Amino acid sequence: MMETEGFEVIDLGRDVPVRDFIDKAKEVGASIIVLSTLMTNTMNGMAEVIKILEEENLREKIKVMIGGWPISQGFADKIGADGYTTDVSKAAKFAKTLVSKMHSKNI
């Protein structure tokens, strides 16, 4: 769905160390990191990605969207995610809106 909205998608797979998301985003100049989980025990990794981006002063350059079965808007708000949607079709459209807002701020 993200590709149909014009995004280049780099799927790092599953069971990915948190640091790999940040390193890959920096390597390719990503605007968004999208994280999804089906298990509650990996939700802390989402918060860790945001924390590392903040520590490296990258939060304005790289937005974070989250989703998956155990995720809620409340959790997204709690960890400071830039977006949460209930399904992938909504996520793709939200990502497009998020990137448009980022680019309009930089013009």
Side-chain angles (χ1 to χ4, degrees):
M1 295 301 286
M2 298 294 271
E3 289 173 336
T4 64
E5 290 293 334
F7 290 96
E8 176 185 357
V9 175
I10 300 169
D11 185 349
L12 297 181
R14 57 185 194 187
D15 298 324
V16 177
V18 170
R19 184 77 228 174
D20 289 2
F21 290 103
I22 289 92
D23 291 345
K24 181 57 85 171
K26 289 180 358 184
E27 176 188 327
V28 301
S31 300
I32 301 176
I33 295 174
V34 180
L35 306 166
S36 179
T37 187
L38 296 176
M39 301 180 306
T40 57
N41 63 332
T42 59
M43 291 168 64
N44 289 335
M46 294 175 165
E48 186 67 19
V49 167
I50 292 170
K51 180 182 172 197
I52 293 170
L53 289 172
E54 288 171 350
E55 289 171 353
E56 296 186 14
N57 296 315
L58 294 170
R59 280 301 278 134
E60 293 302 315
K61 294 179 183 172
I62 303 173
K63 300 300 180 189
V64 178
M65 291 177 53
I66 63 171
W69 174 81
I71 305 303
S72 66
Q73 184 63 58
F75 178 73
D77 294 341
K78 178 181 174 183
I79 68 170
D82 298 294
Y84 159 78
T85 57
T86 55
D87 66 62
V88 71
S89 65
K90 292 176 185 171
K93 294 192 182 318
F94 183 84
K96 194 168 189 174
T97 301
L98 188 60
V99 170
S100 291
K101 287 179 183 178
M102 287 173 62
H103 290 284
S104 68
K105 286 181 181 180
N106 294 331
I107 295 175

